[in-house]
Amino acid sequence: MPRRQPLGVEIAGFDGGVPIAELSRSCAVIPDAPGVYVVVAPEEFKARFLHESSGGHFKGREPSVPVEKLHACWVPESPVLYICKATRLQIRIKQYLRFGAGHPVPHWGGRHIWQLSNAQELLFYWKPTPADDPRDAERSMLALFRAEYGRLPFANMRA
């Protein structure tokens, strides 16, 4: 079966396609503007789940979930793993990456990503929404995803 395009990433004016490993060194390419971002699995990505998350323990909370839950949340037909809004893209993505590196920062959403042993291969795409509320853009993208796949992306736990 041919791989589908990531949900609207190319056709809706998203920028990026930058691996997490590269963004972990510098987020300078990401605008400091409101918008939405998505985490996408590259072509031929194979999910390998860890028993323990690399995510930070914000307020003492354990970010790890049972591997069985990760398997249940996985959407094998979709390369889109996480959709999120940000009032300031650069700052929010930096927080997300710091959380994934084990720092206790407030980015609890999308934490399933950090239980993938090969998370550093994943790609970030972003789209500034200066004229629109990023919450509306996120809601719309999640609704499209749910309509297409019958559930939320792998790392989105609620909408």
Side-chain angles (χ1 to χ4, degrees):
M1 167 184 253
R3 184 117 190 214
R4 304 181 112 162
Q5 287 283 353
L7 177 75
V9 171
E10 279 79 26
I11 60 173
F14 277 68
D15 294 318
V18 181
I20 287 177
E22 188 176 322
L23 285 178
S24 295
R25 292 187 293 276
S26 174
C27 287
V29 297
I30 302 170
D32 188 19
V36 290
Y37 64 95
V38 294
V39 179
V40 175
E43 227 22 82
E44 307 304 319
F45 183 83
K46 302 281 188 242
R48 294 188 308 268
F49 301 120
L50 299 168
H51 289 279
E52 288 194 33
S53 174
S54 65
H57 288 71
F58 183 67
K59 294 186 178 182
R61 292 169 63 193
E62 170 59 57
S64 302
V65 298
V67 170
E68 297 77 28
K69 181 174 182 176
L70 299 172
H71 281 287
C73 292
W74 190 252
V75 185
E77 308 84 26
S78 175
V80 174
L81 305 181
Y82 183 51
I83 298 170
C84 192
K85 68 186 176 315
T87 54
R88 295 178 69 188
L89 283 165
Q90 189 178 95
I91 289 172
R92 192 64 174 156
I93 291 172
K94 280 182 186 178
Q95 285 178 334
Y96 188 57
L97 296 172
R98 284 182 41 79
F99 177 84
H103 299 278
V105 296
H107 200 308
W108 195 247
R111 69 185 180 274
H112 290 174
I113 294 294
W114 307 116
Q115 270 185 262
L116 289 165
S117 66
N118 46 350
Q120 296 300 311
E121 299 172 22
L122 300 176
L123 307 172
F124 264 81
Y125 289 84
W126 55 85
K127 181 179 181 183
T129 59
D132 301 314
D133 187 332
R135 290 177 293 191
D136 294 337
E138 178 194 45
R139 270 190 229 113
S140 174
M141 289 177 69
L142 289 171
L144 285 170
F145 190 96
R146 192 185 299 243
E148 178 74 21
Y149 298 103
R151 55 187 166 154
L152 293 172
F154 166 69
N156 285 90
M157 291 163 269
R158 62 188 162 145

